Amino acid sequence: QVQLVESGGGLVQAGGSLRLSCAASGRTFSNYAMGWFRQAPGKEREFVATISRSGSITYYADSVKGRFTISRDNAQNTVYLQMNTLKPEDTAVYTCAASGTYSTTARTYDYWGQGTQVTVSS
C-alpha cells in the first residue's frame, strides 16, 4: 500500500501561482511513476502531468504545458506540481496518484490521494 496526502491548494487570482505537494508513505516511493489529475465540478477527471520513477521523464496535458511543472524528490518521498499563470479554467480538485507504469491513463494508477482544492478567481 502507498498512502498519498496532497497539500498546497487554495484560492488564487488569475495569473498567480501555487505549488502542490504530495507526500507518500508506505512502499518504496521510487518504485512508482507519479501523476497529477484534476476534476472540475460537473466534469470528468482529466490527466494533468506525470513523471517517471527517476524523474527524468515528464509529460503534460496540452492545457497545462508551459505553465505547470511536475517534479519529485525521491529522498523526501514527495512529488510536486508547480502551477504558474493560473487561469479560472484550472479550478478543480487536484489529486496525485501512483502507478507501477509511466502512464497518462487514470486506470493504470493504483493508489490515489484525497485531493486538494485549487480555485482560481478571475
Side-chain angles (χ1 to χ4, degrees), residues 2-14:
V2 176
Q3 293 77 42
L4 302 171
V5 179
E6 301 94 339
S7 61
L11 174 64
V12 64
Q13 288 188 329

Side-chain angles (χ1 to χ4, degrees), residues 9-60:
L11 174 64
V12 64
Q13 288 188 329
S17 298
L18 282 174
R19 188 194 196 201
L20 305 184
S21 299
C22 172
S25 60
R27 293 186 176 178
T28 305
F29 179 67
S30 58
N31 286 346
Y32 295 90
M34 298 297 296
W36 285 96
F37 293 80
R38 68 185 182 185
Q39 186 167 19
K43 295 187 177 182
E44 293 188 353
R45 181 171 55 195
E46 65 173 346
F47 164 78
V48 176
T50 185
I51 188 165
S52 62
R53 294 178 181 89
S54 67
S56 61
I57 305 171
T58 59
Y59 188 80
Y60 300 90

Side-chain angles (χ1 to χ4, degrees), residues 34-109:
M34 298 297 296
W36 285 96
F37 293 80
R38 68 185 182 185
Q39 186 167 19
K43 295 187 177 182
E44 293 188 353
R45 181 171 55 195
E46 65 173 346
F47 164 78
V48 176
T50 185
I51 188 165
S52 62
R53 294 178 181 89
S54 67
S56 61
I57 305 171
T58 59
Y59 188 80
Y60 300 90
D62 287 344
S63 58
V64 307
K65 198 172 296 182
R67 299 188 298 122
F68 290 11
T69 302
I70 188 171
S71 62
R72 66 190 295 162
D73 184 340
N74 285 345
Q76 297 295 324
N77 292 346
T78 303
V79 62
Y80 305 97
L81 186 68
Q82 177 67 44
M83 306 185 295
N84 298 329
T85 319
L86 282 161
K87 305 175 181 180
E89 51 265 41
D90 294 319
T91 295
V93 174
Y94 284 71
T95 306
C96 68
S99 173
T101 304
Y102 176 73
S103 171
T104 64
T105 306
R107 66 176 180 269
T108 66
Y109 285 77

